[in-house]
Every structure is written in structure tokens, then in C-alpha cells.
């Protein structure tokens, strides 16, 4: 059944009128609440219109400082009172019903969306790409009553883990107003300012100031009481891998006591010290980075309009974030996706020093291989090989970097990946069908879209890459296209290929992936056949 253009126009007009009506009603309600607060002691935003909830005492400072962009609800004293009230009521009274706890935790009037011209809306100023953090401004995405009208970002911190936070709050194990203590959490190694931080074309997928939030936004955190969270953490560690132990035993890696060190002695079951070789450990620095998307830059990077990007994100997440549509003035979105981790081998300062040799691997997550050692793909062997190359580079006086992205199954997910495995093994696993099998199920052979990947390289100040351990043409093109030259690239040696991974490698080579060996054609691929299920015992 088709809809005429006139009918469609009428529908759109009615929708617009409803939106205006909703905004008007919202403004009237906010105005009434403001007048009530002015004439009587304020109550918690957790108090329902029917009188249920917990009245809160007046905050110590009833009027916010004139320089503060916040309303009285963002006063730290009131926030502390709010937190204590929720803790005392929910934490101690175990007899509360779910409905009573819901009334305490959340306002009875559900706010599905806000609008730019709504009463009281005043986002904290944020200028993406500004040269100093105060001009740039903090990322504020909290929906707490103390900050919902001042948000300058949509979504939630911690990506997909924000769902676990919601569950913890619902179960009463986490106070939603808990204020983190960031003492002694500053980066273990410095990641200093780089010019790319203030270039809005270079970094659009995360906050370059994310690791310095407690330091550069101390005033906003402590005095204005804004709920601001770091989106990057930098620490140091030792990496322990059995494959590296074996390489060291074979003499393929050198124990230098700086990059590669001896592990502590092992112990026998009786507690005595074992004489067995304990192996080695790699001294590293690492940074965990959560996604924070600057929507205009994301849209430009993919060559689409910001409006189309917002609509796609709204529609294809089941309408999870309506303000992608209703708040075009908010340009930052924290998407519910996995983060990335940067593993640094050697001195992190060398990453931005063009006189130092740099070895890089950008690796996309493969749980089945990386963790559980599947032999159907080359992911783990390639990762281990890259780590060894990074160690050697650091021992030569350079620096190594492995960037690990959570993009399981080429960002199609592990369920889709396993469905493809089933199809391949039942339909004859040959290299000529490798990408076609994925397309039959997912509709596309790869959804990793490497356009955002180089951001982390620019954040670290990398200006050239001496050695890139990768066959991926998509990764190579994205890095070079972002302005970082790659001097040498190399693929995984044949002797490291797992038994059942030749199908993947040959299909990639024929599709244009880099190889230092023989070039393959589509005609060659029918000769490369993987192991059938019947050839193994289950």
C-alpha cells in the first residue's frame, strides 16, 4: 500500500506539531517545578509528583556561583546528599519492593528525550579540536538529575559495559551517584600533548584528553560537581606468553633484562622452589581507550552526512538513543561498542620520535584464536609474531606497538563467525568460497571499516612507521591515507601458519592482501581446501 505525497506531508506536519506540543508541555512543567522550588524547600528530583520519594534538605549553597554554568542541582553538596539518601534508603532497607526502589532511583516522569530549546537546557561548552583542555571542555554524558540538562554528549561511559552498570544499579549493589576517587590513578607513563589532538580531522573516534580528565578538569569535577569520567587509562605491566617463553628457549629472542626479563621461579605443589625454567616476561606500557565519537568528524571520515549517520545509529540500535535525532546540537556520542588497547614495547616517548625505528601491528580481536588457539585462522600466530618483532625492534633501540581492537569476527560478531564456520565446513571449505560464505550470512564480507583506526596512531604522535606486520590492504590504505607513511610491510611466514588456515590466507592474497610470496588468482583458489569435520574426532 503506497502513501501519497500529500498524505506523507500531512503526517510529517502532524508529527512536527506533536513535537512542538510536547516541548511546550515540558517547558510548562519545568516552569511549575521551578516556581515550587523557589517558594518552598527543594525536594529531591527523585520525589514523584504524588508525594512518594525522599525529601532532601536544602543544600548549603542555594545559589550557584555566578561563573558556574550549572544549576543548583549540580551543587556538590546536594549531590552528596542525594548519594547518601539513596545509599541509606536502598542499601540498608532490604524490604523495599522493586517498585519502591524504582521510584527512589528514577524520576516517575520518564524523560525519553530532551530538546535544544527546552527550558533549562544548557550544555557544558565543548569545542572539539581546541588546543587546550579548558577551551575544549569536558565530555559530560551523565543522565543523573544533577546533570541531564547540561550534558554535551550522548551515550554512556564504558561502552557495552554500561549495561552491567545499569544492572548493578537496579540490583542495589551500586549507588548511581557514587563519586569516583581518582587519587593516584594518573597515567603510569606520560602520553603528552601532540598537535593531532587539536586537529579535528585527525582524531574523531575518542577523546584525546581522556587520560588526563582528573587533572585538566579538576575544577569542573571538584568545584562544579560535574560527573566527568576518564575514557582512557595508561598503566605499566609485564606480559607473559608461553609462545614467547618457547622462542626465548630456542634462542630466537634475547634476554636483555630490560625489555625481556626472566620470570620469577616456579613452585612445586609442596611449596618448594622448582628447578624448571620459569620462562620470560615482556616489560610493556599499555593504554585502554574507550570510544568517544565526534559525530561531524565520523560522518566526514565515512563520506556521509551527519544527518544520515545519526539516523542510521538511531534506527539500527532499535531506537536506543532518541537524542541522536532530537538533539542535533550535541555533537559527541559514546557508542555501546568495545574499546581498543595499545601495547607499547620500549620507551613510549620514542613513538613520536621520527629518528627511532617503529614496528606496528594493528590487530582485530579473534577470541577463538587469540585466547583459545583455533587453527582455522592465522590471528594468534600473527599476533605472537608481531609481538616478537616489536620486542626485537625495541631491543635495537626503537619501539614496538600492537593496537588491539575489539572487532570480533571482522566486527560481525562471534555468532555470525561461527555460523560462517558451519557453512564453510558443510559446503566444502575451499578458498574460492571463503568471502562468499560470509557475504551469504552477513550481507558483507567485512564490517571493520578501518577509517577510524589511525586515530590512536595520531594520538600517540606517530609520524612514520618503519615496519608494519600486516597483510591487510584496508589497514595499510587507512594509515597511509591519514598522512602516516609506511616504509616496510611484511606478512606472516609460511612456517607459522596453522594447519587449517591456508584457506583464509590464500583467499586474502587473491583478494589483494599484501604478500611477499606467490600471487594467487581466483582460478588457484579451488585447489586450496580446508579440513572437513569428518577428518577430525569430536
Amino acid at each position: 500500500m503506497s502513501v501519497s505525497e500529500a498524505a506523507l506531508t500531512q503526517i510529517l506536519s502532524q508529527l512536527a506539531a506533536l513535537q512542538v506540543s510536547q516541548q511546550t508541555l515540558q517547558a510548562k512543567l519545568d516552569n511549575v517545578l521551578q516556581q515550587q522550588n523557589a517558594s518552598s524547600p527543594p525536594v529531591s528530583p527523585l520525589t514523584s509528583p504524588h508525594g512518594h520519594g525522599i525529601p532532601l534538605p536544602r543544600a548549603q549553597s542555594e545559589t550557584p556561583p555566578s561563573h558556574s554554568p550549572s544549576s543548583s542541582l549540580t551543587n556538590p553538596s546536594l549531590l552528596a546528599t542525594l548519594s547518601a539518601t539513596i545509599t541509606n534508603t536502598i542499601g540498608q532497607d532490604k524490604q523495599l519492593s522493586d517498585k519502591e526502589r524504582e521510584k527512589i532511583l528514577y524520576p516517575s516522569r520518564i524523560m525519553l528525550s530532551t530538546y535544544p530549546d527546552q527550558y533549562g537546557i544548557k550544555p557544558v561548552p565543548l569545542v572539539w579540536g581546541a588546543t587546550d583542555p579548558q577551551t575544549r571542555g569536558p565530555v559530560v554524558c551523565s543522565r543523573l538529575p544533577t546533570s541531564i540538562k547540561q550534558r554535551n554528549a550522548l551515550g554512556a561511559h564504558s561502552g557495552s559495559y554500561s549495561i552491567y552498570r545499569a544492572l548493578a544499579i537496579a540490583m542495589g549493589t551500586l549507588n548511581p551517584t557514587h563519586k569516583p576517587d581518582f587519587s593516584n590513578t594518573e597515567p603510569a607513563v606520560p602520553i603528552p600533548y601532540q598537535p593531532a589532538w587539536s586537529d579535528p580531522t585527525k582524531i574523531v573516534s575518542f577523546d584525546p584528553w581522556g587520560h588526563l580528565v582528573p587533572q585538566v578538569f579538576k575544577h569542573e569535577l571538584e568545584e562544579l560537581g560535574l560527573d566527568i569520567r576518564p575514557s582512557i587509562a595508561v598503566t605499566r605491566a609485564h606480559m607473559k606468553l608461553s609462545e614467547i617463553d618457547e622462542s626465548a628457549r630456542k634462542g630466537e629472542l634475547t634476554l636483555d633484562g630490560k625489555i625481556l626479563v626472566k620470570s620469577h621461579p616456579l613452585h612445586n605443589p609442596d611449596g618448594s622452589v622448582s628447578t624448571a625454567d620459569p620462562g620470560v616476561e615482556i616489560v610493556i606500557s599499555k593504554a585502554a581507550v574507550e570510544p568517544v565519537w565526534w559525530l561531524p568528524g565520523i560522518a566526514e571520515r565515512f563520506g556521509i552526512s551527519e544527518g544520515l549517520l545519526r539516523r542510521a545509529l538511531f534506527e539500527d540500535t532499535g531506537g536506543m538513543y532518541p537524542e541522536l535525532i532530537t538533539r542535533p546540537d550535541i555533537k559527541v556520542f559514546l557508542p555501546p561498542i568495545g574499546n581498543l588497547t595499545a601495547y607499547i614495547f620500549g620507551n613510549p616517548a620514542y613513538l613520536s620520535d621520527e629518528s627511532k625505528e617503529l614496528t606496528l601491528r594493528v590487530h582485530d580481536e579473534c577470541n577463538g584464536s587469540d585466547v583459545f588457539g583455533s587453527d582455522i585462522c592465522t590471528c594468534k600466530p600473527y599476533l605472537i609474531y608481531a609481538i616478537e618483532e616489536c620486542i626485537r625492534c625495541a631491543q635495537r633501540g626503537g619501539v614496538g606497538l600492537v593496537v588491539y581492537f575489539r572487532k570480533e569476527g571482522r566486527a560481525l560478531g562471534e555468532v555470525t563467525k561461527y555460523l560462517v564456520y558451519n557453512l564453510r565446513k558443510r559446503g566444502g571449505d575451499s578458498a574460492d568460497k571463503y568471502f562468499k560464505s560470509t557475504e551469504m550470512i552477513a550481507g558483507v564480507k567485512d564490517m571493520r571499516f578501518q577509517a577510524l583506526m589511525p586515530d590512536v596512531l595520531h594520538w600517540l604522535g606517530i609520524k612514520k612507521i618503519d615496519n608494519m606486520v600486516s597483510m591487510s590492504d584496508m589497514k595499510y590504505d587507512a594509515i597511509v591515507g591519514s598522512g602516516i607513511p609506511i616504509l616496510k610491510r611484511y606478512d606472516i611466514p609460511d612456517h607459522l601458519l596453522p594447519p587449517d588456515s591456508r584457506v583464509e590466507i590464500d583467499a586474502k592474497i587473491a583478494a589483494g592482501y599484501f604478500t611477499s610470496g606467490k600471487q594467487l588468482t581466483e582460478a588457484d583458489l579451488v585447489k586450496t581446501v580446508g579440513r572437513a569435520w569428518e577428518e577430525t574426532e569430536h
Side-chain angles (χ1 to χ4, degrees), residues 37 40-45 54-65 70-83 85 146 223-225:
N37 288 339
S40 61
V43 296
S44 165
I54 307 163
L56 295 180
R58 185 178 296 274
Q60 293 178 3
S61 176
E62 296 183 6
T63 305
S70 58
S71 68
S72 60
L73 285 177
T74 55
N75 185 288
S77 299
L78 185 54
L79 186 62
T81 306
L82 200 69
S83 175
T85 303
T146 55
E223 297 185 34
L224 302 186

Side-chain angles (χ1 to χ4, degrees), residues 386-462:
I387 289 173
E388 292 181 351
E389 288 296 293
C390 286
I391 292 170
R392 295 185 184 104
C393 184
Q395 290 178 334
R396 291 193 297 265
V399 62
L401 175 65
V402 172
V403 184
Y404 194 92
F405 282 89
R406 272 57 177 202
K407 297 179 182 177
E408 178 65 60
R410 301 191 203 133
L412 298 169
E414 203 165 34
V415 170
T416 296
K417 181 165 73 171
Y418 287 5
L419 293 174
V420 172
Y421 286 170
N422 289 346
L423 174 61
R424 286 172 55 187
K425 293 305 180 182
R426 289 191 175 109
D429 190 17
S430 57
D432 62 317
K433 301 175 183 176
Y434 178 77
F435 287 118
K436 294 175 184 176
S437 297
T438 303
E439 290 175 341
M440 285 177 63
I441 294 173
V444 63
K445 68 180 181 181
D446 199 324
M447 285 204 310
R448 285 175 291 183
F449 306 123
Q450 301 293 349
L452 304 178
M453 175 266 294
D455 287 21
V456 65
L457 309 182
H458 292 291
W459 177 64
L460 293 167
I462 293 174

Side-chain angles (χ1 to χ4, degrees), residues 96-130:
L96 289 174
S97 67
D98 284 356
K99 193 65 178 177
E100 289 170 326
R101 293 173 64 245
E102 182 181 348
K103 287 180 178 179
I104 294 169
L105 283 169
Y106 307 107
S108 61
R109 179 170 51 85
I110 298 172
M111 186 175 290
L112 294 177
S113 181
T114 57
Y115 300 90
D117 56 351
Q118 183 179 333
Y119 173 80
I121 291 292
K122 192 174 183 182
V124 175
L126 192 153
V127 182
W128 197 269

